[in-house]
């Protein structure tokens, strides 16, 4: 399954195209291919694993991840790394840009396994270099970055706080502060619920152990970051008048995950409250389009794996296997976990008013908070300020504005991922191969 | 581990393992300003996964390349906004 | 609240044309109520290219675009920064010597109307725009054309009108225009009727819904915006063949039309097709449009595309807008300011002055006859919407 670097032909046909190379995509591709389907995985990443299974040394992968990846390799699924789906429509297949090539993929079925991204909320100084998301920091570390000697603040919300703090500590960074914005009672309540998921509990204890000497403060969040040309200090508060200013050179701060639903929206799938609607076999509202993992609701690795299996089986025509009680039950179980997760780490009120008038909200277009009128519709805000009209197309600011103002996500227009004119044109011009399958 | 190769970052030679995400190489090289924003601010990546577009640099003469989606290859020539470096010297 | 009272004029549609009309009326001390189904500039105006350009498909078009452009020029100092008004000039590109000769004739026509223009040869053109492909014959340079960000202008006009006493109802759909009345849909499902001295239908592609018989149909176009590449081009670049594309009412066509924005982004057009209200991207036509653009500006091939979208130009069979009183069933009190095809931005200010002069009985700044809404159209069979 490791990308053999082949330059694909101008148009490719297959039974199942899997978009996204994390746990959901790997599970879907594996199951579909094991059942005889011709599978192509289109993954934007440099190597299989998505975000949570990202690694620069396979020995650092958890055993379960290694086993899935090896099984995927044996399954015969074809893997294309650095492959970005830039456009698509059910009757016209998927338009893909990969390195210097541009081509179309015509699948009978698509499994969308595009994962999730971090929720960023603007605060003064958040655009300073070396302020990044916790997931962004984790991506760097898992990519082999050297954090030794860096003075780090990890602050934010949700399941990433512990693992990122632990990874920083293991990497030789100095943890200056570790802060979870959710109040202690929410976190404690969540921890109690973890008893139902022993593997998760063990995981949490393991992370906590990694930085045991540093305290982990609940109900604490970042007020502002300051520095000249990069972050040099961070101000934290507990909301009860206490403030702490900590010198640091790296701030990892984000507030949970937001499903990546752009491709699903482009293909016409029903998306409600930011998640893709699926039935019990991961089918979306569009025929032959399935969705698995975080885009159906943020639930973590286990949920993604099970949904991926179900989707891969259903997409390759094995719906009975997809309905297997064991799979269905496991999926429902992990989805319940995800609901508890979301409520425990919900961003508190104070985070919505951190930005001052000058704080940048849209980083692509440098639209500052004072220019925005909460009474506008999202389209109106876009037209008047160009918020969300830059290359990220609102992936960062749109999610923030949904939390800050209640603005629904705007329309998704092609192309995705800002491909070059010539690449996108090349995909637009290609026709389906004439050897059409019945 | 893959072999080490040499890339150029703003004229400086940097040794990296081949295939390392370019953003990781730039982080380790202490780059602060990957790109300059519309209003002149130095910017650096926040998401690490191709979503935020803040990690854009010029690679081999082509601008607007997201460094988190590029693997390092020998001889790669990278130009950043050159807004200072961490770990000087 | 004018909704309860009796405004002098209700302007239906707060696109750049309606907004300009509202402002012109407010400046003449009329009590104006502006009604828009969404928000000012949110319709065709918001997806338009924002090129303020003199065009000479006909004497009338030349007269109105030249006049209107001079009004934009006068307004330049007061437009807020988010309008991004810039005097970029237009270069009409000639690919052959024959086209260059035609450019010379155009220059003479422009000169007769006091519009500065000059023919530049191949060498001078390459100097001005080094990213253009070699081998072009030259161009007609019209230095006083400008570019603008249209929704900001519509917004500004409405705000200025309101500072002069106008009122605006956003997210309010007009269901019907009667004789001096407009019926507004309310959230409860009933209709509110507002009585006014006059009603202006400036609803663009929706104008015929409110005034049946208006010969306006939607003519769809595609636009693509790139990432920032400052210095790629300085002027708005349009091929002379664009005129042929805009002129022909049938079928589909593409023509090279690229605009440098103040942000450094490039706005790439243009295409035309008649497919009713289908907003979806036509990939084949879009690819043809981009192919043509690369043919003139090869560097575009390596530019990152941020987004593509479509929009509808309100088109009339004779390529001229409808500006004046409607003599149909609307009675004495219905006026039209719609049907500007691809020149809505350019003609907005001139349209407003021309309309207001007719409404108030003052002397018209240009001959109103060619724009009379009730005029006979060529080939009336193509007036009905697909």
């Amino acid at each position: 399954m490791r990308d053999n670097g082949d330059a694909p032909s101008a148009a490719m046909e297959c039974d199942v195209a899997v978009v996204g190379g994390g746990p959901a995509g790997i599970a879907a591709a594996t199951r579909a291919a094991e059942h005889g389907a011709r599978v192509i995985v289109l993954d934007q990443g440099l190597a299989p694993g998505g975000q949570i299974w990202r690694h620069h040394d396979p020995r650092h992968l958890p055993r379960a991840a290694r086993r899935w990846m090896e099984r995927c390799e044996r399954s015969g699924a074809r893997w294309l790394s650095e492959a970005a789906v830039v456009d698509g429509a059910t009757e016209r297949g998927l338009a893909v840009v990969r390195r210097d090539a541009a081509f179309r993929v015509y699948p009978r079925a698509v499994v969308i396994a595009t994962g999730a991204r971090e929720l960023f909320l603007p605060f003064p100084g958040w655009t300073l270099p070396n302020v990044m998301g916790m997931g962004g920091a984790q991506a760097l570390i898992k990519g082999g970055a050297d954090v030794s000697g860096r003075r780090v603040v990890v602050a934010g919300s949700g399941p990433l706080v512990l693992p990122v703090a632990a990874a920083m500590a293991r990497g030789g960074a100095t943890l200056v502060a570790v802060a979870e914005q959710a109040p202690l009672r929410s976190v404690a309540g969540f921890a109690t619920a973890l008893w139902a998921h022993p593997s998760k509990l063990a995981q949490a204890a393991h992370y906590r152990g990694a930085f045991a000497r540093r305290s982990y403060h609940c109900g604490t969040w970042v007020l502002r970051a300051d520095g000249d040309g990069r972050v040099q200090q961070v101000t934290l508060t507990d909301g009860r008048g206490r403030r702490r200013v900590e010198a640091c050179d790296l701030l990892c701060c984000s507030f949970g995950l937001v499903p990546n639903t752009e491709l699903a929206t482009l293909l016409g799938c029903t998306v409600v409250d930011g998640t893709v609607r699926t039935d019990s076999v991961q089918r979306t509202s569009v025929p032959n389009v399935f969705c698995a993992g975080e885009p159906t609701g943020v639930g973590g690795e286990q949920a993604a794996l099970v949904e991926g299996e179900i989707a891969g089986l259903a997409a390759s025509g094995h719906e009975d296997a997809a309905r297997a009680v064991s799979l269905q039950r496991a999926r429902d179980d992990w989805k319940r976990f995800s609901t508890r997760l979301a409520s425990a780490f919900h961003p508190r009120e104070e985070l919505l008013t951190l930005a001052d008038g000058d704080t940048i909200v849209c980083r692509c277009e440098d639209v500052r908070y004072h220019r925005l009128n909460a009474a506008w519709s999202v389209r109106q805000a876009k037209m008047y300020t160009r918020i969300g009209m830059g290359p990220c197309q609102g992936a960062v600011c749109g999610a923030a504005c949904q939390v800050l103002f209640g603005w629904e996500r705007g329309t998704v227009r092609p192309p995705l991922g800002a491909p070059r004119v010539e690449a996108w044109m090349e995909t637009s011009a290609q026709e389906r191969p004439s050897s059409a399958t019945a | 581990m893959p072999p080490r190769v040499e890339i150029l970052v703003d004229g400086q030679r940097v040794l990296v393992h081949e295939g390392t995400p370019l953003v990781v190489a730039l982080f380790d090289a202490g780059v602060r300003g990957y790109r300059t924003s519309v209003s002149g601010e130095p910017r650096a990546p926040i998401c690490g996964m191709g979503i935020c577009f803040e990690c854009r640099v010029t690679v081999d003469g082509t601008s607007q390349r997201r460094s988190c989606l590029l693997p390092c290859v020998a001889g790669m020539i990278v130009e950043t906004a050159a807004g200072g470096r961490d770990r000087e010297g | 609240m004018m909704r309860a009272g009796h405004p002098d004029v209700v302007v239906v549609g707060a696109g750049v044309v309606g907004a300009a009309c509202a402002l012109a009326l407010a400046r003449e001390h009329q009590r104006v109520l502006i009604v828009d189904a969404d928000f000012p500039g949110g319709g065709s105006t918001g997806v338009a290219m924002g090129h303020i350009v003199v065009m000479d498909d006909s004497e009338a078009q030349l007269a109105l675009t030249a006049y209107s452009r001079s009004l934009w020029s006068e307004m330049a100092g007061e437009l807020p920064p988010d309008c991004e008004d810039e005097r970029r000039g237009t270069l009409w590109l000639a690919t052959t010597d024959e086209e260059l000769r035609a450019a010379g004739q155009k220059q003479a026509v422009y000169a007769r109307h006091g519009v500065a223009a000059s023919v530049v040869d191949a060498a001078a053109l390459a100097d001005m725009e080094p990213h253009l492909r070699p081998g072009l014959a030259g161009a007609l340079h019209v230095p006083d054309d400008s570019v603008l960000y249209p929704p900001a202008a519509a917004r500004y006009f409405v705000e200025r009108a309101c500072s002069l006493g106008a009122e605006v109802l956003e997210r309010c759909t007009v269901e019907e225009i009667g004789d001096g009345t407009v019926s507004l849909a309310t959230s409860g499902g009933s209709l509110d009727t507002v009585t006014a001295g006059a009603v202006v239908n400036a609803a663009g592609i929706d104008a015929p819904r409110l005034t049946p018989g208006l010969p306006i149909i939607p003519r769809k176009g595609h636009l693509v915006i790139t990432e920032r590449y400052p210095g790629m081009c300085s002027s708005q670049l349009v091929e002379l063949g664009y005129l042929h594309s805009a002129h022909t009412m049938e079928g589909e066509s593409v023509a090279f039309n690229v605009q440098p924005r103040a942000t450094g982004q490039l706005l790439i057009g243009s295409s035309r097709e008649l497919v009713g209200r289908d907003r979806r991207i036509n990939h084949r036509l879009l690819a043809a449009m981009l192919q043509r653009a690369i043919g003139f500006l090869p560097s575009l091939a390596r530019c990152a595309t941020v987004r593509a979208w479509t929009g509808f130009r309100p088109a009339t069979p004779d390529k001229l807008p409808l500006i004046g009183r409607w003599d149909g069933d609307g009675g004495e009190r219905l006026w039209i300011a719609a049907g500007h095809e691809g020149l809505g931005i350019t003609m907005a200010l001139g349209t407003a002055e021309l309309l207001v002069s007719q409404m108030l009985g003052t002397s018209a700044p240009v001959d109103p006859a060619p724009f009379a809404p009730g005029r006979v159209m060529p080939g009336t069979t193509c007036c009905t919407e697909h």
Side-chain angles (χ1 to χ4, degrees):
Chain A
M1 129 184 133
R2 216 169 313 121
D3 185 356
N4 60 11
D6 269 2
S9 51
M12 307 166 75
E13 288 188 312
C14 64
D15 296 318
V16 181
V18 176
V19 183
I26 288 170
T30 303
R31 290 292 235 153
E34 282 173 351
H35 278 74
R38 289 169 305 158
V39 178
I40 297 178
V41 179
L42 300 163
D43 181 36
Q44 191 173 239
L46 306 188
Q51 306 316 312
I52 196 163
W53 287 351
R54 190 191 285 264
H55 58 285
H56 66 283
D57 185 341
R59 292 169 299 179
H60 293 160
L61 271 179
R63 222 166 123 243
R66 241 197 340 270
R67 277 201 311 235
W68 264 110
M69 288 187 174
E70 284 162 6
R71 187 175 162 190
C72 189
E73 183 139 16
R74 286 193 306 272
S75 74
R78 181 172 178 181
W79 195 281
L80 295 176
S81 291
E82 294 177 66
V85 176
V86 301
D87 200 353
T90 44
E91 65 287 359
R92 302 186 64 250
L94 302 171
V96 184
V97 173
R98 179 171 182 260
R99 303 185 188 131
D100 289 326
F103 54 95
R104 294 202 80 89
V105 175
Y106 292 96
R108 291 190 199 234
V110 177
V111 176
I112 299 171
T114 46
R117 60 185 181 273
E118 302 188 81
L119 174 66
F120 294 96
L121 297 174
F123 54 87
W126 78 296
T127 58
L128 284 167
N130 294 335
V131 176
M132 61 181 67
M134 294 190 290
Q138 190 180 61
L140 287 178
I141 293 174
K142 287 187 174 182
D146 176 16
V147 295
S148 61
R150 301 243 186 189
R151 294 167 304 159
V152 181
V153 171
V154 177
S157 205
L160 280 175
V161 175
L162 291 184
V164 172
M168 285 290 172
R170 271 197 307 267
T174 302
L175 277 176
V176 169
V178 182
E180 162 61 63
Q181 60 87 25
L184 178 60
R185 64 177 178 281
S186 298
V187 178
F190 178 70
T192 310
L194 285 182
W195 283 111
H197 300 273
S199 60
K200 286 281 182 193
L201 191 61
Q203 208 176 58
H206 173 74
Y207 289 138
R208 187 70 185 89
F211 62 97
R213 276 175 293 148
R214 290 287 166 180
S215 45
Y216 163 76
H217 291 287
C218 290
T220 302
W221 61 92
V222 172
L223 272 182
R224 56 180 304 120
D226 292 287
D228 178 20
R230 81 281 194 200
V231 63
Q232 292 174 289
Q233 70 182 38
V234 169
T235 305
L236 297 149
T237 184
D238 64 359
R240 282 177 295 193
R242 279 197 293 252
R243 291 189 182 197
R244 250 165 87 193
V245 178
E246 299 283 1
C248 72
D249 39 40
L250 180 56
L251 168 60
C252 312
C253 181
S254 53
F255 301 95
L257 296 175
V258 174
N260 291 330
T261 56
E262 284 70 26
L263 179 60
T265 306
L266 197 62
L267 293 178
C269 303
T270 300
V271 175
V272 176
D273 289 337
T275 59
V276 182
R277 294 289 110 155
T278 51
D279 68 8
S280 56
V281 293
Q282 310 304 134
R283 218 185 329 244
T284 69
S285 61
V286 176
N288 300 314
V289 177
F290 298 79
C291 187
E294 311 286 60
T296 69
V298 172
E301 175 185 338
Q302 306 301 339
L305 281 169
V306 178
E307 288 201 341
E309 290 197 66
I310 296 172
L313 289 166
S316 55
H318 299 90
E319 194 162 316
D320 284 346
R323 292 195 187 283
V325 169
S326 55
L327 284 174
Q328 294 281 321
R329 238 185 230 153
R331 190 264 321 278
D332 294 342
D333 230 14
W334 286 112
K335 275 320 206 200
R336 264 196 297 277
F337 174 75
S338 84
T339 314
R340 262 201 290 275
L341 199 71
S343 62
F345 295 102
H346 187 78
R348 64 198 305 142
E349 289 255 303
E350 292 92 331
L351 298 173
L352 309 189
T353 52
L354 295 175
D356 63 31
D358 244 357
T359 304
I360 284 183
V361 177
C362 169
R363 298 173 69 119
C364 294
E365 298 288 322
D366 282 12
V367 181
R368 291 173 197 272
Y369 189 76
H370 68 83
R371 288 188 65 205
L372 302 173
N373 184 335
W376 287 340
S377 65
V378 64
R379 209 169 76 88
Q380 194 168 8
K382 269 189 182 171
M383 291 273 178
Y384 285 172
T385 66
R386 279 215 293 278
I387 187 171
M389 307 239 286
C392 100
Q393 289 290 287
V396 175
C397 66
C401 286
Q402 172 137 46
V403 173
L404 296 178
F405 305 122
W407 290 347
E408 290 307 312
R409 288 304 311 280
T411 48
V412 175
R413 299 245 182 275
L416 304 174
R420 288 164 209 290
V421 170
E422 64 190 350
W424 188 32
M425 244 176 53
E426 213 183 303
T427 67
S428 280
Q430 286 167 20
E431 296 300 325
R432 184 186 286 270
S434 53
S435 56
T437 41
Chain B
M1 294 268 7
R4 280 181 181 264
V5 295
E6 196 178 89
I7 66 172
L8 272 180
V9 177
D10 298 326
Q12 308 272 18
R13 294 204 197 110
V14 175
L15 275 178
V16 297
H17 289 291
E18 189 172 38
T20 301
L22 179 58
V23 71
V24 170
L26 297 178
F27 178 83
D28 284 350
V31 170
R32 286 179 201 159
Y34 290 61
R35 72 174 196 100
T36 306
S37 82
V38 165
S39 61
E41 294 186 350
R43 292 288 175 78
I46 62 172
C47 82
M49 55 182 281
I51 292 284
C52 73
F53 283 79
E54 294 282 44
C55 66
R56 284 174 285 164
V57 292
T58 298
V59 178
D60 298 334
T62 302
S63 63
Q64 316 286 358
R65 308 296 312 266
R66 282 171 284 174
S67 53
C68 66
L69 295 179
L70 282 178
C72 289
V73 297
M76 195 177 229
I77 300 172
V78 183
E79 295 156 88
T80 73
R85 288 272 186 280
D86 295 340
R87 307 176 171 190
E88 233 104 39
Chain C
M1 264 265 6
M2 271 191 245
R3 186 169 180 157
H6 185 116
D8 295 320
V9 186
V10 174
V11 175
V12 179
V16 69
V17 171
C21 290
L23 176 56
L25 287 163
R27 279 186 169 143
E28 295 299 329
H29 313 293
Q30 300 296 299
R31 290 168 64 253
V32 182
L33 175 64
I34 310 163
V35 184
D36 195 279
D38 200 349
F39 56 88
S44 296
T45 294
V47 289
M49 209 177 194
H51 185 196
I52 296 171
V53 56
V54 171
M55 280 195 26
D56 66 334
D57 186 70
S58 60
E59 278 285 321
Q61 188 184 78
L62 180 48
L64 186 56
T65 54
Y67 168 59
S68 196
R69 191 187 75 171
S70 70
L71 295 176
W72 279 110
S73 191
E74 279 167 34
M75 206 178 235
E78 80 173 80
L79 290 174
D82 60 358
C83 290
E84 293 175 3
D85 176 43
E86 289 188 304
R87 180 165 297 203
R88 289 282 190 164
T90 304
L91 280 167
W92 292 93
L93 305 175
T95 58
T96 61
D97 288 334
E98 191 189 327
E99 281 189 345
L100 196 60
R101 275 193 294 278
Q105 287 162 353
K106 234 165 124 66
Q107 190 261 339
V109 171
Y110 279 31
R112 278 201 297 278
H113 282 73
V115 176
S118 61
V119 176
V120 298
D121 65 17
L125 180 61
D127 251 353
M128 290 177 76
E129 299 286 353
H131 286 265
L132 282 172
R133 74 156 167 86
L136 295 171
L140 179 71
H141 182 216
V142 187
D144 299 325
D145 285 346
S146 51
V147 307
L148 174 71
Y149 181 57
R155 178 189 179 192
Y156 171 68
F157 293 159
V158 169
E159 283 175 2
R160 283 281 287 130
C162 289
S163 75
L164 296 171
E167 281 174 31
V168 59
L169 294 175
E170 298 185 15
R171 290 175 257 285
C172 184
T173 303
V174 171
E175 294 292 342
E176 213 175 271
I177 298 179
D179 184 15
T181 63
V182 292
S183 301
L184 311 173
T186 66
S187 49
S190 59
L191 290 178
D192 262 0
T193 302
V194 177
T195 308
V199 179
V200 176
N201 183 346
I205 57 168
D206 290 315
R209 178 177 68 81
L210 295 169
T211 306
L214 283 184
I216 294 173
I217 59 171
R219 202 149 179 227
K220 181 177 167 190
H222 290 76
L223 284 172
V224 171
I225 194 155
T226 68
E227 240 302 339
R228 294 179 155 78
Y229 298 95
M232 178 81 67
C233 68
S234 329
S235 318
Q236 175 124 7
L237 304 174
V238 192
E239 60 166 311
L240 280 165
Y242 175 92
L243 300 167
H244 179 76
S245 170
H247 181 88
T248 321
M249 268 307 277
E250 309 296 317
E252 59 176 45
S253 60
V254 297
F256 173 68
N257 191 348
V258 166
Q259 178 184 100
R261 311 245 51 252
T263 57
Q265 292 169 289
L266 298 160
L267 196 48
I268 307 171
S270 62
S271 77
R272 282 173 161 78
E273 53 185 318
L274 298 168
V275 287
R277 300 266 187 136
D278 183 357
R279 302 209 103 90
R280 291 174 300 179
I281 303 265
N282 177 336
H283 288 82
R284 186 188 38 81
L285 198 60
L286 180 63
M289 183 182 96
L290 292 174
Q291 185 77 60
R292 195 159 188 88
I294 292 177
F296 280 88
L297 206 57
S299 316
L300 280 180
R302 301 291 296 163
C303 291
T305 56
V306 170
R307 190 170 163 116
W309 65 93
T310 61
F312 298 107
R313 308 172 182 84
T316 61
D318 65 1
K319 276 82 69 184
L320 291 173
L322 311 168
I323 308 170
R325 198 199 303 270
W326 179 245
D327 294 323
D329 297 331
E332 291 274 294
R333 294 188 266 183
L334 179 57
W335 300 79
I336 313 295
H340 293 77
E341 220 263 357
L343 289 169
I345 317 302
T346 300
M347 290 176 162
L349 294 177
T351 297
E353 294 304 316
L354 182 56
L355 180 73
V356 170
S357 71
Q358 294 178 74
M359 289 176 80
L360 302 183
T362 54
S363 69
V366 296
D367 178 9
F371 309 104
R375 66 188 184 267
V376 173
M377 290 287 182
T380 37
T381 46
C382 71
C383 297
T384 48
E385 194 161 314
H386 286 54

